[in-house]
Amino acid sequence: MNVNKSLLPLINPLSKDNPVIVQVLGICSALAVTAKLEPALVMTISVTAVLALANVIISLLRNTIPTSIRIIVQLVVVAALVVIVDQVLKAWNYEVSKALSVFIGLIITNCIIMGRLEAFAMSNRPWASFLDGIGNGLGYGIILVIVAFFRELLGSGTLFGCQVIPQWCYDHGYQNNGMMILPPMALITVACIIWVHRSRNKDLQE
């Protein structure tokens, strides 16, 4: 029982308390970087890494941070981690870094990260904060990957840039749905995920 309870910060954000479809946080990047699967996956890894590390650092410092400047300290920690992630990404995969453009830098203002630092890391120990960061990062990432999967598959006929819809489908009249790669379809796809999720979780219905 104790083990299961200790894992709740990791498990709950994956479904019951998902930051995107339950708390409706981080929607902007969910709409902006999901036209293709690769940028969505890289954004997931980046946000998860920043959130987990920031949670741990703020948790370690929580008793020494003056209340009046806690938001400033949180921003400085997140900004430093984002700069590191951005530089690593540029060295590792420059093309994806270019595709993500300003959105890596905007991780600093991601409301999921600031929300978890304020609501969880400031009042919990490092290990629990680390699990909370991983859980919320993955919960955010699951939605990004699902949205990107359908948008790239139906909009471009590819996954990770590789064609997966057979050529004979196109020869027989199949056409990619160009609307799927437009930003409004990201919002509609997220809305469909929210509808399915809430229909299966009656306790979330108002």
Side-chain angles (χ1 to χ4, degrees), residues 2-146:
N2 290 334
V3 173
N4 291 335
K5 186 176 180 180
S6 69
L7 292 177
L8 288 179
L10 175 65
I11 297 171
N12 280 347
L14 300 180
S15 178
K16 183 179 179 181
D17 293 323
N18 187 279
V20 178
I21 60 176
V22 176
Q23 302 175 46
V24 197
L25 300 174
I27 289 291
C28 296
S29 56
L31 305 183
V33 301
T34 54
K36 292 189 178 296
L37 200 49
E38 187 176 12
L41 187 59
V42 172
M43 179 63 82
T44 296
I45 296 171
S46 301
V47 169
T48 302
V50 170
L51 181 52
L53 292 174
N55 262 12
V56 171
I57 293 170
I58 294 300
S59 179
L60 289 170
L61 298 175
R62 71 186 189 281
N63 293 324
T64 63
I65 301 175
T67 303
S68 59
I69 63 168
R70 68 185 189 283
I71 301 299
I72 297 174
V73 173
Q74 292 168 13
L75 284 171
V76 169
V77 170
V78 174
L81 292 171
V82 168
V83 169
I84 294 171
V85 168
D86 186 40
Q87 294 303 309
V88 170
L89 183 57
K90 286 179 178 177
W92 171 63
N93 195 329
Y94 185 69
E95 291 302 317
V96 173
S97 177
K98 284 175 59 180
L100 289 173
S101 155
V102 298
F103 295 107
I104 287 292
L106 288 176
I107 292 176
I108 297 171
T109 60
N110 191 311
C111 44
I112 297 174
I113 294 178
M114 297 306 298
R116 297 322 297 169
L117 293 179
E118 183 70 12
F120 198 91
M122 286 294 292
S123 56
N124 288 274
R125 294 187 175 183
W127 177 244
S129 298
F130 176 75
L131 293 180
D132 181 78
I134 294 293
N136 278 277
L138 293 179
Y140 163 85
I142 286 172
I143 305 305
L144 257 67
V145 169
I146 292 173

